[in-house]
Amino acid sequence: MFVIRDITFNQILVIKELWEKNRKYHENISEHFGRIYSNLVFEERIGSFKFFDSEHIKISIAEDLCDGKILGYCISTFKETQGETHTLHVDVNERNKGIGKRLMKSHIKWMQNNGCTSITITVAVENISTIEFYKALGFKANTLEMRLK
C-alpha cells in the first residue's frame, strides 16, 4: 500500500537514492550516450529547479505506508501555458502497481488546472517500455532529437 504526497523543494533530498537508480538505469540502457548519464550529478540537476517558485513546480513522491520507503517520484513545472514533466521514476521492484500512472495523472491534472494547454516530457529513445507507458497516457511523439556521439 502506498500514498502519493507532494513535497517541497527543501525536502527534495528524499528522492536522491531513487534518482541515482534512475540515472544508473539510463546509463545502462543507452547504447551510445551512457556517458551523459554517468556524468550527471544530483545536486546540479536538481539545482535547476530551485528557480521555480512553489506555485510553478510540483514534486510528488509515492511512499510505502508501512515503512516510509520512497517507491517513486515525479517532478513537473509549468510556465504560462507550457507544462513539462522533467523526471518520473518508479523503483524497478515496484513497477506495474499503478504508481507511475497515479503520479503522472496527478501531475497532468495539476498542469491542466494551472492553464497548461501543452504538456511535454522527454524520453530516451532506447526506453521503449517508458515510451509505451506515456503513449498509454495519451502522449504522442512529436520530434526526435539526434546527436553525434
Side-chain angles (χ1 to χ4, degrees):
M1 193 82 158
F2 66 92
V3 63
I4 304 289
R5 68 180 178 90
D6 292 343
I7 61 171
T8 66
F9 181 77
N10 292 336
Q11 298 169 303
I12 204 158
L13 278 176
V14 301
I15 71 163
K16 184 175 181 176
E17 181 181 336
L18 199 53
W19 183 90
E20 287 292 344
K21 288 180 181 181
N22 188 27
R23 182 194 61 73
K24 199 70 154 159
Y25 169 80
H26 282 88
E27 181 181 351
N28 291 333
I29 68 164
S30 181
E31 181 181 351
H32 302 290
F33 299 103
R35 73 186 182 321
I36 292 172
Y37 300 103
S38 65
N39 292 328
L40 290 176
V41 175
F42 177 79
E43 290 76 11
E44 291 173 9
R45 174 69 176 107
I46 296 305
S48 65
F49 297 118
K50 69 182 173 189
F51 299 106
F52 287 92
D53 63 49
S54 61
E55 293 179 16
H56 292 86
I57 187 168
K58 181 175 178 71
I59 307 167
S60 303
I61 59 171
E63 186 175 26
D64 188 295
L65 285 172
C66 296
D67 62 11
K69 179 182 173 190
I70 307 300
L71 309 174
Y73 69 85
C74 188
I75 302 174
S76 298
T77 63
F78 76 91
K79 182 177 180 183
E80 298 173 6
T81 61
Q82 175 61 50
E84 181 176 2
T85 295
H86 297 273
T87 179
L88 167 75
H89 186 71
V90 175
D91 187 279
V92 68
N93 298 318
E94 304 299 331
R95 292 186 182 162
N96 299 310
K97 297 179 182 179
I99 296 170
K101 188 175 186 178
R102 277 190 49 200
L103 283 164
M104 275 305 297
K105 284 188 171 191
S106 165
H107 280 242
I108 290 168
K109 183 177 180 181
W110 172 76
M111 287 182 272
Q112 289 172 332
N113 287 344
N114 280 286
C116 293
T117 55
S118 176
I119 298 172
T120 60
I121 187 158
T122 302
V123 185
V125 70
E126 295 101 344
N127 203 349
I128 302 301
S129 63
T130 300
I131 291 169
E132 293 304 315
F133 168 79
Y134 290 122
K135 282 182 178 178
L137 288 171
F139 285 85
K140 309 278 188 267
N142 181 30
T143 63
L144 174 65
E145 176 186 278
M146 301 193 67
R147 295 182 182 196
L148 286 174
K149 258 179 119 170

